[in-house]
């Protein structure tokens, strides 16, 4: 393993872990302003996580090791995923790490254990959320495969490191079809992180809950780990979208100055994307559950069109 990758393996997960909660807070802030409120402070989410980490976890008497194990497994899985997604600099290739097929399997593992944790407590809400999540996963996972396949078609690789090495140094997308793929990636970002119109993370109404229902029985530091996992997943999917559609500033060299500039630009681009997500959520209502596949089909359509263009153009 080379020095470049070792530095990447140290810095990339740490950067993602520290920055991820900030963008959860920024989206909430944008939504609050759109509704005429001030909303919580930007760093309130860090204070909440710190407070939860100090609290003792309380378990349902009917729960098993699954409920205790899930928060640690999920956060570990997303930290491994962060090795697949270069955020501010692209390291030299190391052992084929960065394969999007493995990346998708890791996301599926996280989703599976979250649903299992929701079922394990034996509560009605947990079972309802897990059931809904798995039903929607049956539709969105094939769409995710098609979307990432379209990305691989355009950038001629299954490796995210090689893809971003190709896009690094450019200001605009290297191919017009990447704009179509980006629409699919944006929809996947909304669906996978349980945002409107798929789910409403700001409500505990039984008729609308999906992700919140699955973690309703989690408490204390376990809840903090699951919230951190959720923020990390959102940040990594934002990173894929940003470095696909707007890769300006992404560094391919181990240079302190270039990495600092790249980090600054990435934080700005992520901030802009968070504002767009916040405005998008403020402008749209939650869809009925049985109408959600129509939303997913949009992502499938744009990805399928991209593949057809790449094959026949």
């Amino acid at each position: 393993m080379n020095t470049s990758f070792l530095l990447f393996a140290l810095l990339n997960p740490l950067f993602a872990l520290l920055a991820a909660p900030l963008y959860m807070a920024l989206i909430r802030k944008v939504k609050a302003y759109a509704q005429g409120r001030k909303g919580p402070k930007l760093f309130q989410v860090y204070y909440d996580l710190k407070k939860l980490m100090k609290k003792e976890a309380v378990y349902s008497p009917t729960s098993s090791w699954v409920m205790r194990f899930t928060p640690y497994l999920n956060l570990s899985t997303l930290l491994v995923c962060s090795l697949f997604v270069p955020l501010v600099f692209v390291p030299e290739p190391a052992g084929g790490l960065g394969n999007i097929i493995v990346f998708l399997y890791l996301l599926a593992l996280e989703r599976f254990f979250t649903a299992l944790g929701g079922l394990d407590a034996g509560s009605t809400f947990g079972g309802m959320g897990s059931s809904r999540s798995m039903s929607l996963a049956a539709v969105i996972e094939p769409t995710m495969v098609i979307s990432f396949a379209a990305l691989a078609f355009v950038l001629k690789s299954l490796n995210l490191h090689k893809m971003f090495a190709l896009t690094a140094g450019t200001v605009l997308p290297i191919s017009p079809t990447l704009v179509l793929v980006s629409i699919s990636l944006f929809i996947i970002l909304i669906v996978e992180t349980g945002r409107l119109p798929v789910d409403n993370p700001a409500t505990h109404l039984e008729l609308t809950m999906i992700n919140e229902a699955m973690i309703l029985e989690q408490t204390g530091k376990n809840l903090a780990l699951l919230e951190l996992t959720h923020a990390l997943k959102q940040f990594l999917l934002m990173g894929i979208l940003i470095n696909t559609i707007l890769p300006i500033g992404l560094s391919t060299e181990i240079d302190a100055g270039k990495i600092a500039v790249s980090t600054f630009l990435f934080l700005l681009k992520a901030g802009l994307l968070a504002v767009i997500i916040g405005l998008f959520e403020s402008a749209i209502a939650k869809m009925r559950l049985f109408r959600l596949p129509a939303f997913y089909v949009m992502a499938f359509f744009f990805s399928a069109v991209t593949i057809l263009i790449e094959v026949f153009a």
Side-chain angles (χ1 to χ4, degrees):
M1 194 171 288
N2 53 61
T3 309
S4 169
F5 189 83
L6 283 176
L7 187 65
F8 170 81
L10 181 67
L11 293 181
N12 207 59
L14 185 63
F15 172 67
L17 202 58
L18 291 176
L22 180 64
Y23 293 94
M24 298 289 283
L26 184 56
I27 293 172
R28 287 178 197 165
K29 194 78 175 171
V30 172
K31 288 174 67 179
Y33 275 123
Q35 294 164 4
R37 299 183 288 111
K38 277 185 72 175
K41 295 177 182 175
L42 270 181
F43 293 100
Q44 184 62 46
V45 65
Y46 291 97
Y47 302 140
D48 291 343
L49 287 172
K50 183 181 175 185
K51 188 169 68 177
L52 284 172
M53 289 296 284
K54 290 180 179 176
K55 288 190 174 180
E56 183 187 358
V58 178
Y59 299 103
S60 161
T62 59
S63 65
S64 68
W65 61 272
V66 173
M67 196 169 170
R68 295 158 176 77
F69 181 60
T70 296
Y72 297 95
L73 176 79
N74 283 4
L75 184 59
S76 305
T77 303
L78 264 294
L79 285 173
V80 174
C81 282
S82 68
L83 295 176
F84 289 66
V85 185
L87 296 171
V88 295
F89 84 100
V90 186
E92 293 175 19
L97 195 66
N99 191 301
I100 53 173
I101 297 172
V102 182
F103 178 75
L104 292 175
Y105 270 114
L106 288 171
L107 290 186
L109 179 70
E110 184 268 341
R111 182 195 284 270
F112 173 72
F113 267 89
T114 304
L116 214 54
L119 286 169
D120 191 57
S123 74
T124 308
F125 285 144
M128 178 192 66
S130 300
S131 169
R132 288 176 176 175
S133 177
M134 287 296 102
S135 301
L136 296 177
V139 184
I140 192 60
E141 285 185 357
T143 304
M144 285 181 70
V145 171
I146 292 294
S147 301
F148 278 92
L151 190 65
F153 256 100
V154 178
L155 298 177
K156 314 296 181 195
S157 176
L158 284 173
N159 189 298
L160 285 165
H161 291 193
K162 291 180 181 176
M163 291 182 194
F164 293 158
L166 191 64
T167 61
T170 59
V171 177
L172 297 173
I174 61 170
S175 168
T177 50
L178 283 179
V179 177
L180 298 177
V181 178
S182 298
I183 297 171
S184 301
L185 292 177
F186 182 78
I187 294 172
I188 287 170
L189 168 63
I190 295 294
V191 175
E192 279 294 303
T193 53
R195 311 211 68 90
L196 286 170
V198 177
D199 192 7
N200 188 351
T203 182
H204 279 171
L205 294 174
E206 63 178 278
L207 291 176
T208 60
M209 284 195 299
I210 299 178
N211 285 328
E212 288 297 312
M214 290 188 288
I215 62 172
L216 204 58
E217 295 290 329
Q218 295 284 3
T219 54
K221 61 183 177 183
N222 287 354
L223 180 59
L225 293 177
L226 287 173
E227 294 284 359
L228 201 51
T229 302
H230 191 66
L232 195 51
K233 185 178 185 180
Q234 175 181 277
F235 194 65
L236 293 179
L237 291 173
M238 287 172 72
I240 293 175
L241 177 56
I242 288 169
N243 287 334
T244 298
I245 192 72
L246 198 62
I248 180 172
L250 183 61
S251 175
T252 54
E253 301 172 23
I254 307 178
D255 182 281
K258 289 183 178 178
I259 291 176
V261 171
S262 177
T263 304
F264 176 72
L265 287 175
F266 184 85
L267 292 174
L268 277 182
K269 291 182 284 185
L272 177 63
L273 180 56
V275 170
I276 292 171
I277 294 171
L279 294 175
F280 175 78
E281 281 200 34
S282 302
I284 197 165
K286 188 181 180 310
M287 296 176 78
R288 291 181 181 179
L289 202 64
F290 65 85
R291 292 185 62 189
L292 287 176
F295 183 60
Y296 303 164
V297 164
M298 290 171 62
F300 186 91
F301 171 76
F302 287 116
S303 301
V305 167
T306 301
I307 293 174
L308 289 175
I309 292 173
E310 288 296 318
V311 170
F312 295 107

